[in-house]
Amino acid sequence: MRIAPEGTSITELDQWDIFYDAKDRDSVLSAVVTSVVRPKTLNGLYWELKFEDADGVRGVVPSSETGLPSERTMNFFVNQKVNVKIKSIDRKNGIVACTRREVVEEAINHLLGTLTEGEEIPALVRFVSRRGVGLDIGGGVIVEVPYRNAAYSRSLPLDVIYRPGQLIRVTVQAIDKEKKDIRVSIKDPWENEEFSRGTILTGRVLKIRGREMFVEVRQGLVGLAGYPLNKRIEEGEQLPFQVMSFDRAERKLHLIVLDPERIRGRRVRRERRIREAKR
C-alpha cells in the first residue's frame, strides 16, 4: 500500500492519472470556466478551466474547440460548468488541452436522431443577452432564441424574465439533419393564464429597480409591483400579492403587495356603506 507524504493524500498524488485515463478512454470530464483569455502570441480567445479536486491543473479550450457558433458568447460561460474531453497533457506546466466541440457534436448527433418536430422538451438557460437567450437543449447543444421570439412580455427586460440556470419548456420547431441545425420556440407562459382583479397570489421578487419590483408568480410569468413605502423587501423574497390588473394580450400583470390591514379597512368601509344603504 502506498503511503502519502505528510500533509498530502493519495488522491492528490494520483490526480494526473484521472486526466491520462480520460484521454486514453476518450471520456468526458466536467470543469468550470474561470476566464476568457486573449493571448499575445496566439490568434483567438481561449477558455481557462478549473477541474474539481485538481489544484495546479489548468484546462485550456481554444475558441475553435468550445463548440459555440461564435466567440462573442464565450464570456457568458464564465463561472459555469462545461463538459470536455482531454486532447493533450503538459504535466510539466500543469496544462491540459481540452475540447468541448467533440462533446457537443456527439450530443447534437444524438438529438438529431431522437427529437421530433413539435415535441416539447426541457431546456436550461445558459445566458441572456440583448440579442436573445441561449438555451442548452441537451448535452451542451446551445440554441439561441432571438429577442423577438423570447420577449413575450414586451414591458420587461430579458434578464428579468430569464436567468442562467433556469429550466424552461421549449417546443422543437424545426430539425435540419443535413445542416445539423435545431430550432426551438419558448413555451409562452401567458397563454393559459387568467387572473381577476383582487386575486391573491404568492410571488417571488426577482429584481428591484427604483420603485418597481419584478415579481414572478408562475414560471416565466413576471408582473410589476410598486415598492411599498412602509415595508422593506429584498430580492428573492416570496410574498403574497394582490392582482390589480391582468392583460394576457399585452402580456401585462400589475400587482400590489398584500396589506391585510388595507383589505380589512376596505371591508369595514364596504359593510358600512351597505348598512347605510339599508337605512
Side-chain angles (χ1 to χ4, degrees), residues 89-143:
I89 299 172
D90 181 353
R91 184 167 182 172
K92 180 180 179 181
N93 293 303
I95 297 174
V96 290
C98 307
T99 177
R100 179 177 176 274
R101 176 184 56 80
E102 293 183 10
V103 178
V104 172
E105 286 179 354
E106 290 177 1
I108 197 167
N109 286 334
H110 174 75
L111 291 173
L112 289 169
T114 56
L115 292 181
T116 57
E117 292 183 3
E119 181 180 356
E120 187 177 299
I121 61 173
L124 181 73
V125 177
R126 293 303 296 259
F127 62 84
V128 183
S129 71
R130 288 178 295 178
R131 296 169 179 256
V133 182
L135 304 176
D136 185 338
I137 62 170
V141 176
I142 304 298
V143 175

Side-chain angles (χ1 to χ4, degrees), residues 10-261:
I10 292 297
T11 301
E12 290 174 302
L13 290 175
D14 292 342
Q15 67 178 6
W16 282 101
D17 290 344
I18 296 172
F19 298 103
Y20 284 113
D21 185 65
K23 182 178 180 298
D24 292 341
R25 295 174 180 270
D26 198 35
S27 56
V28 175
L29 295 179
S30 180
V32 174
V33 178
T34 58
S35 60
V36 178
V37 181
R38 183 181 294 279
K40 295 180 180 179
T41 56
L42 298 174
N43 293 325
L45 306 174
Y46 67 82
W47 279 336
E48 281 198 355
L49 308 180
K50 178 176 174 54
F51 295 90
E52 188 177 1
D53 299 327
D55 293 334
V57 179
R58 184 163 55 98
V60 173
V61 183
S63 59
S64 60
E65 294 297 322
T66 61
L68 300 176
S70 70
E71 288 186 345
R72 68 176 176 81
T73 57
M74 287 177 65
N75 286 333
F76 294 119
F77 286 79
V78 174
N79 294 325
Q80 294 199 43
K81 279 189 175 182
V82 294
N83 292 332
V84 296
K85 289 186 176 184
I86 308 301
K87 301 305 292 180
S88 64
I89 299 172
D90 181 353
R91 184 167 182 172
K92 180 180 179 181
N93 293 303
I95 297 174
V96 290
C98 307
T99 177
R100 179 177 176 274
R101 176 184 56 80
E102 293 183 10
V103 178
V104 172
E105 286 179 354
E106 290 177 1
I108 197 167
N109 286 334
H110 174 75
L111 291 173
L112 289 169
T114 56
L115 292 181
T116 57
E117 292 183 3
E119 181 180 356
E120 187 177 299
I121 61 173
L124 181 73
V125 177
R126 293 303 296 259
F127 62 84
V128 183
S129 71
R130 288 178 295 178
R131 296 169 179 256
V133 182
L135 304 176
D136 185 338
I137 62 170
V141 176
I142 304 298
V143 175
E144 290 192 59
V145 178
Y147 178 89
R148 67 180 181 276
N149 296 333
Y152 283 115
S153 180
R154 297 294 190 268
S155 62
L156 301 178
L158 285 183
D159 65 348
V160 168
I161 305 172
Y162 305 101
R163 301 170 302 283
Q166 175 186 8
L167 273 173
I168 63 174
R169 304 294 297 182
V170 300
T171 301
V172 179
Q173 292 291 102
I175 298 173
D176 189 327
K177 293 186 177 181
E178 288 188 6
K179 295 182 179 179
K180 293 190 174 183
D181 181 60
I182 300 172
R183 288 190 290 113
V184 302
S185 63
I186 299 173
K187 186 176 176 62
D188 185 353
W190 295 78
E191 64 182 359
N192 295 319
E193 295 293 349
E194 185 65 54
F195 302 111
S196 302
R197 179 181 173 87
T199 300
I200 297 173
L201 304 169
T202 298
R204 184 165 66 94
V205 179
L206 299 178
K207 285 186 183 294
I208 299 173
R209 292 181 178 173
R211 303 304 304 175
E212 286 188 326
M213 300 186 297
F214 298 96
V215 182
E216 186 176 54
V217 298
R218 299 282 190 274
Q219 182 173 309
L221 200 157
V222 181
L224 280 173
Y227 193 97
L229 298 175
N230 59 348
K231 188 178 180 66
R232 181 175 177 80
I233 296 175
E234 301 287 343
E235 291 182 359
E237 275 194 68
Q238 283 196 325
L239 301 166
F241 290 86
Q242 194 167 28
V243 175
M244 301 301 292
S245 65
F246 176 77
D247 188 329
R248 185 194 296 120
E250 294 295 323
R251 303 301 194 261
K252 291 182 179 180
L253 172 63
H254 290 156
L255 305 161
I256 187 172
V257 176
L258 183 66
D259 184 347
E261 288 301 314

